[in-house]
Amino acid sequence: MALKSDDTRWGAAARTFHWLMAILIIVLGIVGLWMADQPNSLQKIKIYAIHKSVGLTVLALALLRLSWRLFDRRPRDVPMPAWQAYAAHATHALLYLLMLALPLSGWLYNSASGYPLQWFWSFNLPSLSGGADPALKAIAHAIHEWGFYVLVLLLLGHIGGALLHHFVEKDETLVRMLPLLRRRQAAPTVASVAAPAMPPPGPVPAGVPDSPATDGD
Ligand code: HEM
Ligand code: HEM
């Protein structure tokens, strides 16, 4: 499986980024909504710490993914109306934006609350606000929470579009992003186009040699 994408298929790197980040972001959102409603306890502090560390990991992955995207290519769109291609590309751009905005607003919220920030109990990250700031804290919290609701809406369109392509249009859009499934039909290769068709089995006409190797013996 090639690391880089080609004209018709996403490469291994793009697919790994896509599915790893999709799982992490969805789990972070569900855990985030749940943990915020829990009563204060030692366990809640631990879950917050893990949410923040995984969220920072998503931020690092998003930066790596965007850098890789600059070097990689994008498979050609399958044939579809121009408005659909435009809507899909706009959704992808907004998803990339939220992959950065959600962890950054979480980091800002944490900083403006006056809390320190550690990545998986290993090293500290700097404050983005230079200390507690109640007004900034409220803004960062609103971006973090409402940004996630916007993400959910975009994902409904994104996932709905992918399923529509797969089950209604029956094209390659979803399959070429999946890690394991085979393609619906193999695209013709250069070899299969260039190779002459095999003659049907039957008696060899008189005067035609059996094989080129015996010709002239
Ligand atoms: C079940 C969930 C998901 C499905 C079925 C799905 C499906 C797909 C498919 C089929 C593509 C390729 C589209 C194409 O070739 O034009 C794609 C691209 C993309 N997906 Fe998802 N996706 C899912 C979840 C997510 C999540 C959670 C995110 C991020 C929050 C996300 C972000 C993206 C982005 C940014 C692209 C564009 C990649 C690029 O152009 O570099 N997806 N997705
Ligand atoms: C893609 C990454 C992230 C996603 C999808 C995400 C999602 C969420 C969601 C949906 C909530 C619940 C919002 C609420 O009801 O208040 C939440 C809460 C929270 N998140 Fe994140 N988060 C991410 C990254 C981060 C990061 C990097 C940090 C900090 C460094 C962070 C810190 C927090 C905190 C402190 C809360 C609790 C807010 C409260 O107590 O009301 N998050 N997160």
Side-chain angles (χ1 to χ4, degrees):
M1 186 193 301
L3 201 61
K4 290 193 85 174
S5 307
D6 62 30
D7 237 18
T8 59
R9 194 144 203 219
W10 292 97
R15 273 180 281 156
T16 307
F17 274 128
H18 180 271
W19 292 111
L20 177 64
M21 293 187 70
I23 291 167
L24 290 180
I25 290 170
I26 290 169
V27 171
L28 272 172
I30 294 169
V31 170
L33 290 172
W34 171 81
M35 73 182 191
D37 289 338
Q38 296 307 300
N40 286 340
S41 68
L42 202 63
Q43 200 206 8
K44 179 171 175 170
I45 295 173
K46 278 190 194 150
I47 295 170
Y48 265 53
I50 294 173
H51 176 89
K52 293 176 198 177
S53 297
V54 176
L56 290 169
T57 309
V58 166
L59 178 60
L61 286 171
L63 293 172
L64 277 176
R65 180 174 178 183
L66 282 166
S67 316
W68 173 256
R69 178 75 153 75
L70 292 179
F71 291 103
D72 202 14
R73 60 189 303 177
R74 189 187 188 290
R76 263 185 286 111
D77 282 330
V78 302
M80 64 175 113
W83 69 265
Q84 237 179 60
Y86 179 79
H89 293 165
T91 304
H92 294 162
L94 287 172
L95 288 174
Y96 274 128
L97 188 73
L98 284 168
M99 274 185 234
L100 297 173
L102 284 171
L104 280 174
S105 59
W107 187 351
L108 190 60
Y109 173 66
N110 193 75
S111 307
S113 307
Y115 294 129
L117 183 59
Q118 225 170 38
W119 188 75
F120 288 112
W121 301 277
S122 55
F123 61 88
N124 293 327
L125 284 118
S127 165
L128 294 181
S129 61
D133 182 336
L136 193 59
K137 175 181 163 183
I139 295 172
H141 185 259
I143 296 175
H144 201 59
E145 186 174 4
W146 287 96
F148 183 70
Y149 296 138
V150 172
L151 176 81
V152 170
L153 283 181
L154 287 172
L155 282 179
L156 288 180
H158 181 64
I159 296 169
L163 294 179
L164 213 74
H165 274 284
H166 190 71
F167 291 109
V168 180
E169 305 291 337
K170 299 193 190 311
D171 64 31
E172 286 273 301
T173 306
L174 179 59
V175 177
R176 72 185 186 177
M177 184 48 109
L178 290 175
L180 298 171
L181 283 192
R182 292 195 147 271
R183 311 171 108 178
R184 282 177 189 277
Q185 66 193 58
T189 60
V190 176
S192 66
V193 170
M198 288 289 287
V204 178
V208 175
D210 276 355
S211 79
T214 55
D215 197 14
D217 277 356

